[in-house]
Amino acid sequence: MSGLQSVDWQIASNRQAHHTERFYGKDLLVRRGQLFQVSLTLSQGLSSGGRVTFTASTGPYPSESANTKAVFPLSNGTSSSGWGAQLVSSRNNVLNISILSPANAPIGRYTLNMQISSQGSDSTMKLGTFILLFNPWLQADSVFMSNHAEREEYVQEDAGIIFVGSTNRISMIGWNYGQFEEGILNICLSVLDNSLNFRRDPATDVAHRNDPKYVGRVLSAMINGNDDSGVISGNWSGNYTGGRDPRNWNGSVEILKEWQRSGFRPVRYGQCWVFAGTLNTVLRCLGIPSRVITNFNSAHDTDQNLSVDVYYDPLGRPMDKGSDSVWNFHVWNEAWFVRSDLGPSYNGWQVLDATPQERSQGVFQCGPASVIAIREGNVDWDFDMPFIFAEVNADRITWIYESNGALKKNSSDTHSVGKHISTKAVGSNSRMDVTEKYKYPEGSSQERQVFEKALRKLKPTMSFSATSASSLAREEREPSISGRFKVAGVLTVGKEVNLILMLKNLTSDTKTVTVNMTAWTIVYNGTLVHEVWKDSVTKSLNPEEEIEHPVKIAYAQYEKYLKADNMIRTTAVCQVTDEPEVVVERDIILDNPTLTLEVLDEARVQKPVNVQMLFSNPLDEPVKDCVLMVEGSGLLLGNLKIDVPALRPKERSRVRFEILPTRSGTKQLLANFSCNKFPAIKAMLSVDVAE
């Protein structure tokens, strides 16, 4: 009876053919629906009557009915559907075999066994294990992406850009996805194995891993630590003791490794771009094309009425009332796959959001929601459409608490929510605006029609004349004055903030205006941290006159309360007697000092390279507790943490460190510098690595 002597998985050639050669490690990684080769050396040749059968199985309870186990014979041709094994050649005792998996097989770790039956006796041998991934290169796979450049970006690119800031000040940070780094694929599979679905019913969960729609939804629940032993714990309080300030992360690799090291306890702390960056890593790692999307002025509508309510007190202070809010920006993901449940018109990009905002089916998970369906207002479809539709389309209603405690509606704004929806362009670091994929142009008739269609689906009993914001606007009295904040000079941490409140009389009568102004430091989602400045003035305005009132906020006033977001919200509530108040608001973002990175030698694979960091303390006081954290896939294994000596006022620091490139091409080096006065200063450098 012939026994097995050795198995050659032909790792290098299989990985090349399956586009998995970039993964670190020595496992056999193949993509579904595509042949892979294996050579078996037997102790003796197969006897003429011998039969060879293979069994491929995945998950703890493999079963043929659930498609998590397949038994298939060695034949001379492979079947077009289902698992198959074909004898390519047999010389002496060596069998060269190609194995085909179905294009809709569940992804994950498989065991392959072989059974040889000859002359009435059977022997079974375990050949080993392999990992099966989604296959965006294959038309029959539901994640197929035909455009080569897009597929390279959305599956193979392991570094990227995430847009942050505010509508009038969009900035970018680098993010290290690192989906090919050592151990990351195993951690991504553990993410699936730690889900509530797997713990409740592992057999069914594993069977559903054939569907990117299912896998994406599970991942959106698992990247946050709510409800399950998910990856990241969210915190928007401004106080990050006991964890890391969300602004300090440079990428997902460290987060995923820390989660695994801790025995799968949520890593502290994350905010939306951290959740999105990490989800992007896991999606790309498993073979689902994905990208990170930023929505500016993103509405968080808690009660599905497509409007968010914002409150002020009579002194101009923004109030933490109600659960609705508008975030300066919010970051989520889009993943690319077909929607067999909705029909072919809704294939393509699907929103997945791992940031815990609202429960869906009892769990903090969100999506997949078809971007095309969002644009059409199909809010009654799966999954979580009303919430995502509101994020980009909600009306913003402003309310003021009068001094007598009464609540008065001040104004409604139908077009400020959902601006500059952005993602990194394919093949470059520039910003690509995808707003028109989410909604018709602001102010167009289609845009309002879609909004009213969505409202009708959500609140079929409401009468429209009373609810749509356009009709509310007609009831409002036109204000007799207008106001806006203008920035004067540069906005830099450590310097005085200079703004000008511009007030204009829109009538031909003289007007007297009382203005109550405040400034608060905030977290980017609108969490109020601390009031840092306030002022009240009364101004007389001649007919059609515009006046300027300067606003100055000293560094000493805001320094203790500024968060790593560097955001200050200034508000002016302007009151003309017997008229509705006019609320003027502006969020400003202060610039950090520059952190400069430069490569001192030519970068080559496997040759150490010196890099220099330069930083000047711009303040008139010392900075201490300085730490530099550096990472970059293909440039250094893991991350570097360097303690930097304290800096005297205006002193310049120069730190040198070494990196060791492991892969050629353009790689992204990311640095984060933190100290007691600057919680998170970012720098990013593209390094061209020669072979």
Side-chain angles (χ1 to χ4, degrees):
M1 179 85 201
S2 134
L4 181 69
Q5 278 189 329
S6 67
V7 181
D8 176 1
W9 289 104
Q10 302 188 18
I11 307 265
S13 56
N14 279 325
R15 279 183 166 220
Q16 199 74 41
H18 286 252
H19 309 280
T20 57
E21 71 281 4
R22 295 186 199 181
F23 282 91
Y24 199 94
K26 290 283 166 278
D27 290 321
L28 174 61
L29 310 178
V30 292
R31 298 191 185 274
R32 59 189 196 170
Q34 188 176 333
L35 290 167
F36 64 93
Q37 316 300 325
V38 53
S39 299
L40 308 176
T41 306
L42 306 177
S43 53
Q44 60 189 71
L46 279 179
S47 58
S48 58
R51 265 200 357 267
V52 178
T53 313
F54 294 95
T55 305
S57 55
T58 184
Y61 305 107
S63 89
E64 291 186 77
S65 59
N67 293 326
T68 50
K69 176 182 174 185
V71 180
F72 48 100
L74 179 60
S75 66
N76 292 329
T78 54
S79 66
S80 53
S81 66
W83 289 83
Q86 183 178 358
L87 183 59
V88 179
S89 66
S90 112
R91 293 200 20 223
N92 306 333
N93 304 346
V94 179
L95 307 180
N96 287 314
I97 293 165
S98 51
I99 290 176
L100 181 67
S101 62
N104 62 351
I107 58 134
R109 192 180 298 282
Y110 277 77
T111 304
L112 189 64
N113 290 335
M114 176 172 76
Q115 189 179 34
I116 299 177
S117 321
S118 78
Q119 293 138 7
S121 71
D122 288 352
S123 66
T124 301
M125 297 147 261
K126 179 177 170 178
L127 300 181
T129 63
F130 61 92
I131 293 173
L132 192 65
L133 300 173
F134 289 106
N135 194 348
W137 282 263
L138 180 75
Q139 193 160 6
D141 195 309
S142 49
V143 302
F144 172 64
M145 188 169 243
S146 57
N147 180 305
H148 170 79
E150 291 182 1
R151 201 172 50 219
E152 282 299 300
E153 177 76 45
Y154 299 135
V155 183
Q156 299 285 64
E157 189 53 69
D158 59 4
I161 296 285
I162 300 176
F163 294 95
V164 296
S166 65
T167 46
N168 48 17
R169 199 80 201 288
I170 296 177
S171 56
M172 54 160 102
I173 55 171
W175 194 263
N176 178 27
Y177 299 123
Q179 67 267 36
F180 305 122
E181 296 301 289
E182 185 175 10
I184 294 299
L185 174 55
N186 281 332
I187 297 171
C188 293
L189 295 173
S190 316
V191 172
L192 295 175
D193 288 347
N194 275 280
S195 73
L196 293 176
N197 299 32
F198 181 83
R199 283 185 268 165
R200 286 184 195 126
D201 182 353
T204 306
D205 172 73
V206 172
H208 280 145
R209 290 181 192 177
N210 66 327
D211 182 359
K213 184 165 81 263
Y214 176 83
V215 171
R217 187 156 173 82
V218 166
L219 292 175
S220 81
M222 275 303 298
I223 297 302
N224 67 68
N226 306 49
D227 320 305
D228 45 41
S229 43
V231 180
I232 301 159
S233 176
N235 181 343
W236 287 265
S237 69
N239 172 11
Y240 309 114
T241 327
R244 194 186 282 192
D245 186 317
R247 294 258 172 188
N248 289 152
W249 300 108
N250 284 321
S252 322
V253 175
E254 222 187 322
I255 293 171
L256 289 165
K257 288 185 170 174
E258 189 177 315
W259 177 68
Q260 182 189 47
R261 260 200 313 274
S262 73
F264 309 120
R265 281 203 294 280
V267 175
R268 298 190 297 202
Y269 290 105
Q271 289 171 355
C272 65
W273 68 93
V274 183
F275 291 105
T278 306
L279 177 53
N280 212 55
T281 296
V282 182
L283 290 165
R284 286 184 185 180
C285 185
L286 298 177
I288 300 175
S290 63
R291 61 188 187 183
V292 174
I293 298 283
T294 305
N295 177 37
F296 290 93
N297 288 354
S298 189
H300 179 167
D301 174 22
T302 51
D303 47 9
Q304 295 203 359
N305 63 353
L306 299 192
S307 69
V308 290
D309 301 308
V310 188
Y311 300 90
Y312 297 89
D313 77 2
L315 295 178
R317 288 191 295 238
M319 296 175 73
D320 269 333
K321 288 289 290 182
S323 43
D324 286 356
S325 54
V326 177
W327 296 27
N328 288 60
F329 66 90
H330 178 44
V331 185
W332 60 70
N333 302 76
E334 285 175 2
W336 176 273
F337 47 82
V338 304
R339 287 299 294 267
S340 45
D341 55 331
L342 302 181
S345 330
Y346 298 92
N347 293 346
W349 291 117
Q350 314 290 326
V351 172
L352 291 168
D353 190 347
T355 298
Q357 291 187 87
E358 293 295 316
R359 282 201 164 82
S360 169
Q361 298 173 314
V363 174
F364 282 99
Q365 57 188 353
C366 184
S370 156
V371 173
I372 296 166
I374 293 165
R375 187 173 195 234
E376 298 305 328
N378 295 324
V379 290
D380 45 342
W381 291 5
D382 286 344
F383 290 88
D384 308 307
M385 290 283 293
F387 184 75
I388 299 165
F389 182 85
E391 285 183 307
V392 298
N393 285 302
D395 289 341
R396 181 189 162 126
I397 317 281
T398 305
W399 301 84
I400 294 185
Y401 275 91
E402 304 290 294
S403 39
N404 62 8
L407 183 61
K408 200 172 78 184
K409 180 165 174 206
N410 176 266
S411 61
S412 54
D413 172 352
T414 62
H415 53 258
S416 68
V417 162
K419 296 290 224 201
H420 308 304
I421 305 174
S422 304
T423 189
K424 174 191 174 302
V426 172
S428 85
N429 284 350
S430 52
R431 184 178 76 85
M432 180 164 82
D433 195 298
V434 294
T435 312
E436 84 293 345
K437 302 270 186 263
Y438 279 83
K439 53 190 189 179
Y440 288 100
E442 210 60 76
S444 66
S445 59
Q446 294 124 306
E447 186 257 345
R448 275 290 113 182
Q449 280 162 5
V450 165
F451 185 84
E452 304 212 337
K453 166 183 169 182
L455 255 184
R456 269 195 306 278
K457 285 176 183 269
L458 291 173
K459 300 268 187 279
T461 53
M462 281 167 73
S463 86
F464 266 83
S465 53
T467 57
S468 71
S470 48
S471 61
L472 289 171
R474 283 197 294 276
E475 297 160 23
E476 290 158 13
R477 286 170 51 191
E478 283 302 311
S480 61
I481 55 158
S482 70
R484 63 190 172 95
F485 280 111
K486 202 168 81 173
V487 174
V490 292
L491 298 173
T492 311
V493 179
K495 298 268 188 292
E496 179 178 75
V497 171
N498 284 291
L499 303 172
I500 295 168
L501 175 63
M502 313 282 296
L503 290 174
K504 186 167 191 184
N505 182 351
L506 304 172
T507 69
S508 43
D509 306 318
T510 302
K511 294 284 176 187
T512 303
V513 193
T514 306
V515 186
N516 291 316
M517 291 172 284
T518 61
W520 288 69
T521 53
I522 60 168
V523 177
Y524 78 98
N525 70 337
T527 300
L528 300 171
V529 177
H530 205 278
E531 185 177 83
V532 294
W533 172 88
K534 63 170 188 267
D535 191 18
S536 289
V537 292
T538 301
K539 294 280 186 186
S540 181
L541 289 172
N542 291 326
E544 296 179 3
E545 182 186 14
E546 184 166 39
I547 61 164
E548 303 188 350
H549 177 73
V551 169
K552 293 185 186 305
I553 309 167
Y555 178 51
Q557 289 173 286
Y558 68 77
E559 98 177 276
K560 285 192 184 63
Y561 306 113
L562 193 67
K563 293 294 155 188
D565 304 74
N566 286 358
M567 285 185 184
I568 297 177
R569 172 166 294 173
T570 52
T571 309
V573 173
C574 313
Q575 175 81 65
V576 175
T577 312
D578 295 334
E579 292 188 16
E581 296 92 335
V582 171
V583 179
V584 183
E585 186 180 84
R586 173 130 186 199
D587 290 345
I588 57 165
I589 302 176
L590 307 185
D591 282 339
N592 276 325
T594 316
L595 186 68
T596 312
L597 294 175
E598 48 192 29
V599 178
L600 302 177
D601 334 288
E602 190 201 14
R604 301 190 89 81
V605 173
Q606 297 303 344
K607 182 176 153 249
V609 183
N610 286 301
V611 179
Q612 178 166 273
M613 179 234 34
L614 299 173
F615 174 73
S616 294
N617 175 10
L619 305 178
D620 296 321
E621 47 192 304
V623 299
K624 54 181 205 287
D625 311 326
C626 307
V627 177
L628 178 68
M629 286 187 295
V630 186
E631 73 178 83
S633 285
L635 292 173
L636 68 172
L637 292 175
N639 64 319
L640 286 177
K641 183 176 175 200
I642 301 161
D643 290 316
V644 178
L647 287 167
R648 295 188 299 277
K650 309 291 187 196
E651 187 185 356
R652 185 173 186 198
S653 169
R654 170 177 291 166
V655 176
R656 286 195 178 181
F657 55 90
E658 207 176 68
I659 59 173
L660 182 68
T662 51
R663 291 201 296 267
S664 61
T666 303
K667 301 289 164 214
Q668 182 172 273
L669 187 67
L670 296 167
N672 180 80
F673 179 80
S674 59
C675 60
N676 64 331
K677 299 292 181 188
F678 298 102
I681 303 179
K682 298 283 186 199
M684 165 171 80
L685 181 67
S686 288
V687 180
D688 292 317
V689 180
E691 265 305 342

